Amino acid sequence: MKHPALSVALPKKLVTGAVLFAVILSVTGCFGKNGTIGIYTHRNDTLKKIIKYISKDDSEGLYDLFSKDKKRDKNLMECLDALCDFWDDEDLTVKRKRHTSGCSAYDHGKYTYYETRYYIYVESSDGTEYEIYVSEDYINKNEPEMVGINIIEVRDEDNDIVLTSYN
């Protein structure tokens, strides 16, 4: 026969443990903008937006993701229009996508710099494969004007750059 207090005590311990774990994570900053969970959510959202904007020929939406510094480049809109045209002309479809952290820096347990790199592997209607590479500063406390996308490139199967926003 089960002890009646055991069936109530175990769920209480699990709930207490889960609440304690959440409090520890929130105090250490893991849930916030500068924390791991915030970064992971941001990376997934940004990757979805990049693909959506390019595939819908929305160069203005894509432009909004760029850093203030990169938006000073007078050729940026032209490059983004060319990227959207390239997507349409080659009839590209996404085969695989991923994001990684490039570089990061901490100060007293909080991020002061965090760069994310996105890789979108696509294939044209004739079977040619391309990689769309994107570099974004998610956090940059020393150079806040660099926060946002700074580089977007399309590379062919030989890793040659076909299109780039980098000057």
Side-chain angles (χ1 to χ4, degrees):
M1 179 174 192
K2 291 184 180 177
H3 190 280
L6 186 59
S7 62
V8 174
L10 188 57
K12 280 185 179 179
K13 286 182 180 179
L14 288 174
V15 169
T16 302
V19 169
L20 183 60
F21 181 70
V23 168
I24 290 170
L25 285 178
S26 64
V27 168
T28 61
C30 289
F31 283 130
K33 178 181 183 209
N34 294 346
T36 305
I37 294 172
I39 288 171
Y40 185 78
T41 300
H42 173 80
R43 291 188 315 197
N44 284 339
D45 291 346
T46 301
L47 185 55
K48 288 175 189 174
K49 286 177 186 175
I50 292 167
I51 294 169
K52 179 179 100 175
Y53 292 148
I54 295 172
S55 64
K56 300 241 185 231
D57 203 18
D58 186 356
S59 53
E60 289 180 18
L62 196 55
Y63 178 86
D64 289 340
L65 298 176
F66 276 79
S67 69
K68 288 179 185 177
D69 181 68
K70 190 60 186 168
K71 287 177 182 175
R72 292 183 197 132
D73 181 353
K74 294 180 183 6
N75 298 320
L76 179 59
M77 248 345 242
E78 184 180 311
C79 173
L80 299 179
D81 287 337
L83 174 61
C84 291
D85 291 344
F86 181 77
W87 184 282
D88 290 340
D89 293 346
E90 294 293 317
D91 192 23
L92 298 176
T93 55
V94 176
K95 291 299 183 187
R96 192 168 46 106
K97 56 192 176 202
R98 68 184 176 104
H99 50 74
T100 63
S101 95
C103 303
S104 61
Y106 299 91
D107 185 20
H108 295 36
K110 300 230 180 208
Y111 286 107
T112 57
Y113 177 79
Y114 193 93
E115 175 192 1
T116 296
R117 296 176 184 164
Y118 303 95
Y119 301 89
I120 306 164
Y121 302 94
V122 295
E123 185 176 65
S124 69
S125 56
D126 70 1
T128 306
E129 295 180 353
Y130 297 94
E131 172 189 84
I132 300 173
Y133 165 78
V134 181
S135 176
E136 173 194 32
D137 286 11
Y138 175 53
I139 299 166
N140 192 332
K141 303 239 179 186
N142 294 331
E143 297 177 285
E145 71 280 357
M146 298 297 289
V147 172
I149 293 175
N150 290 296
I151 300 171
I152 191 164
E153 293 180 342
V154 177
R155 300 171 180 165
D156 66 13
E157 294 171 320
D158 297 324
N159 211 24
D160 293 331
I161 296 173
V162 176
L163 280 169
T164 185
S165 68
Y166 186 75
N167 289 338

